[in-house]
Amino acid sequence: MTERERERERDGVVESCDVAVIGGGPAGSTAAALLARRGHRVIALEKARHPRFHIGESLLPMNLPVFERLGVLEKVRALGVYKPGADFEADNERGYNTYAFARALGDSPPHAYQVWRQDFDKMLYDHARESGAEAREGHEVVRVEQRHARETRLDVRTDDGREYAVQARYVVDASGRDAFLACRRKLRRKNAEHQSAAIFGHFRGAQARPGEDAGNISIYSFAHGWMWMIPLPGGVMSVGAVCRPDYLKQRKGRTVDFLLETLEGNPALWRRLRQAELIDGEVRVTGNYSYDSSRMGGPGWVLVGDAFAFLDPVFSSGVYLAMSGAERAAEVVDQALREPRREAALLRRLEKRQRTGMARFAFFIYRFNGPVMQWMFRHPRNTWQLEQGVISMLAGDLFDTPRVLWRLRLFKLVYALSGLRDWRRWRTEHRYRLAQARIRFTGGTTPLDQE
Ligand SMILES: Cc1cc2nc3c(=O)[nH]c(=O)nc-3n(C[C@H](O)[C@H](O)[C@H](O)COP(=O)(O)OP(=O)(O)OC[C@H]3O[C@@H](n4cnc5c(N)ncnc54)[C@H](O)[C@@H]3O)c2cc1C
């Protein structure tokens, strides 16, 4: 022990706890509340002060059972806009198809909510505190040192300039995209298959969908990616575009003009937005955020939510994956503290489950902007209940329901066959065009013309 550490201990500034949770977003609050309820001494450390801005406003139906188990369902209901489904552009008279959650195959709830994240995250952090966690705000973890499997020291700096240390038997890292532990342990990996960035703002006066579709999230495509419209409380519409990072790098001039020009790129979205006003002229940009970590945990530590991995917001899966993953991670931590010899196996199972769920979303995400997937979303068919299987995926029901899982496998097969059909059509057209070019050059006829 160094002289400085001895001094600190004498001053009583090294605090001991069973579990330290880094980050007070949805994942951190969930883990902190559940572990405190199981009788552990939990110190939760959040560097910002709630309410603080965060993007990620549209929730999934499968989040509702997690809220219920946590005991916050009524509070979410009071904060949120009722979300009955997701709509995607289509070549029909009204211009879109609604994928209504009520039509999902399994037992997922028939709706979800859309929330201002600053209110939602504050409510969850307060709830963790009410559940017994010492939930601190304005306390940033600046250094970590693991001395033994059950002894990790975190150095903390408060926003009023104080410093102290926490010694924990277990560390749950829920630091979001900062990925505090994954960066220090050099586990963070950029996603080579998928890169995206986003630009977004909040508008007043945008046109909602009519009737019972009013609370839908609407998804649109454009040349460089896709866009969202999310109805929020108080008549506000969150609107943003997700695109390849290179596209955002092209921007010159005012960011607000770039956002508006980008949104004009989809005429149907723009028609709903052209009368609207950007609130406070405020536009935000996020850089490339698709990554994961090579491991999810080890003796005495575990990564949850975005601190482990994040893919893409297109199906609004982030908060659900963060909270459901944190709920399971809390069970693992609780059991590992009681029966350390089971820890490795429990962590392996947790990681496998989380990666499997994410891979199921990834199949759709990676292909979403391609012509085949676009065509399938524009022209849904419910043969073999495939459309309903997709609705279940959109509801977040892609871990445990066999009926859904085998529809998703079948969907992959149909996707592959459609891709093959499109490829053959493309090849035929391409051969025809090449042959025609050759005729113009040589003055002959093509084999296809002769057929
Ligand atoms: C453009 C975009 C749109 C999105 N849209 C959606 C959507 O519609 N629906 C959806 O479900 N998800 C969406 N997401 C994803 C969603 O934002 C995240 O998946 C979700 O917030 C993850 O929760 P979390 O608790 O893991 O992390 P976060 O919510 O990011 O919380 C992490 C917390 O840790 C704190 N922290 C960081 N470092 C430290 C430190 N060293 N010490 C103390 N505290 C620290 C941060 O201040 C923060 O409060 C979107 C993401 C993006 C980029």
Side-chain angles (χ1 to χ4, degrees), residues 153-166:
R153 177 196 163 106
L154 301 175
D155 286 338
V156 183
R157 191 179 300 139
T158 65
D159 58 6
D160 58 6
R162 277 183 305 120
E163 286 182 13
Y164 66 97
V166 169

Side-chain angles (χ1 to χ4, degrees), residues 14-21 41-43 45 145-154 165-172 300 337:
V14 178
E15 293 181 62
S16 296
C17 63
D18 295 317
V19 185
V21 179
R41 181 178 180 206
V42 177
I43 297 183
L45 302 153
E145 187 193 340
Q146 183 165 27
R147 293 168 174 173
H148 304 288
R150 292 288 175 262
E151 189 187 330
T152 301
R153 177 196 163 106
L154 301 175
V166 169
Q167 187 164 297
R169 294 171 67 211
Y170 222 101
V171 174
V172 175
L337 284 172

Side-chain angles (χ1 to χ4, degrees), residues 39-86:
H40 299 289
R41 181 178 180 206
V42 177
I43 297 183
L45 302 153
E46 165 56 51
K47 68 176 176 183
R49 282 182 187 271
H50 289 297
R52 52 98 180 92
F53 178 81
H54 207 294
I55 193 62
E57 299 141 333
S58 190
L59 307 176
L60 299 187
M62 285 303 283
N63 234 142
L64 271 53
V66 184
F67 296 149
E68 201 160 12
R69 289 191 290 272
L70 206 53
V72 295
L73 184 56
E74 284 314 310
K75 294 182 188 174
V76 178
R77 205 190 302 277
L79 286 178
V81 163
Y82 185 89
K83 174 187 174 188

Side-chain angles (χ1 to χ4, degrees), residues 40 92 121 299:
H40 299 289
N92 56 22
D121 288 18

Side-chain angles (χ1 to χ4, degrees), residues 7 18 28 56 59 83 101 118-119 125 135 153 209 259 261 268 356 363 367 375 386 391 414 429 447:
E7 247 174 50
D18 295 317
L59 307 176
K83 174 187 174 188
F101 296 133
Q118 58 268 40
D119 300 336
Y125 208 54
R153 177 196 163 106
R209 290 285 192 218
L259 172 67
E261 277 161 31
T356 305
F363 172 82
R367 291 157 185 82
W375 194 90
L386 283 191
I391 294 176
V414 173
E429 282 172 13

Side-chain angles (χ1 to χ4, degrees), residues 148-388:
H148 304 288
R150 292 288 175 262
E151 189 187 330
T152 301
R153 177 196 163 106
L154 301 175
D155 286 338
V156 183
R157 191 179 300 139
T158 65
D159 58 6
D160 58 6
R162 277 183 305 120
E163 286 182 13
Y164 66 97
V166 169
Q167 187 164 297
R169 294 171 67 211
Y170 222 101
V171 174
V172 175
D173 182 13
S175 59
R177 293 174 58 197
D178 286 20
F180 182 84
L181 272 190
C183 289
R184 275 147 193 86
R185 289 181 175 269
K186 303 204 181 336
L187 306 174
R188 189 171 151 125
R189 303 182 295 201
K190 208 167 146 177
N191 189 329
E193 278 191 70
H194 187 74
Q195 290 173 19
S196 52
I199 180 166
F200 52 91
H202 293 87
F203 292 79
R204 208 176 286 287
Q207 228 177 66
R209 290 285 192 218
E212 54 189 31
D213 287 330
N216 285 355
I217 180 173
S218 304
I219 305 289
Y220 296 87
S221 317
F222 77 118
H224 304 280
W226 62 272
M227 301 172 182
W228 77 75
M229 286 183 95
I230 297 176
L232 291 176
V236 173
M237 190 73 82
S238 167
V239 188
V242 172
C243 39
R244 287 189 60 81
D246 314 348
Y247 172 69
L248 279 192
K249 285 190 195 134
Q250 289 168 19
R251 74 181 189 279
K252 296 189 188 84
R254 294 189 328 144
T255 310
V256 56
D257 296 331
F258 188 81
L259 172 67
L260 297 178
E261 277 161 31
T262 301
L263 298 176
E264 271 185 78
N266 184 303
L269 176 142
W270 189 245
R271 272 196 295 281
R272 294 177 60 191
L273 201 64
R274 64 182 161 211
Q275 309 291 346
E277 182 199 338
L278 180 66
I279 298 175
D280 298 332
E282 193 166 15
V283 174
R284 294 174 197 257
V285 174
T286 64
N288 186 16
Y289 43 64
S290 207
Y291 58 87
D292 79 340
S293 306
S294 53
R295 279 174 74 187
M296 195 171 177
W301 60 277
V302 66
L303 313 177
V304 295
D306 284 9
F308 168 57
F310 184 67
L311 262 175
D312 189 284
V314 64
F315 298 124
S316 309
S317 56
V319 172
Y320 166 59
L321 287 173
M323 292 185 72
S324 58
E327 190 182 26
R328 287 190 176 251
E331 266 170 48
V332 169
V333 172
D334 178 55
Q335 290 182 35
L337 284 172
R338 295 177 202 283
E339 290 178 81
R341 61 186 176 77
R342 294 186 57 209
E343 182 179 20
L346 291 168
L347 283 170
R348 266 199 307 277
R349 204 180 313 149
L350 178 73
E351 176 166 346
K352 188 168 177 219
R353 180 180 166 89
Q354 197 74 1
R355 285 197 192 280
T356 305
M358 293 190 84
R360 289 184 183 132
F361 273 122
F363 172 82
F364 288 88
I365 290 172
Y366 293 165
R367 291 157 185 82
F368 185 67
N369 276 329
V372 176
M373 194 65 90
Q374 282 290 317
W375 194 90
M376 290 174 87
F377 269 86
R378 276 174 173 271
H379 308 94
R381 293 228 201 116
N382 203 26
T383 321
W384 302 309
Q385 295 181 306
L386 283 191
E387 186 195 359
Q388 286 175 272

Side-chain angles (χ1 to χ4, degrees), residues 134-145:
E134 292 174 41
R136 303 174 184 177
E137 297 174 48
H139 289 224
E140 178 175 5
V141 179
V142 290
R143 214 174 134 264
V144 58
E145 187 193 340

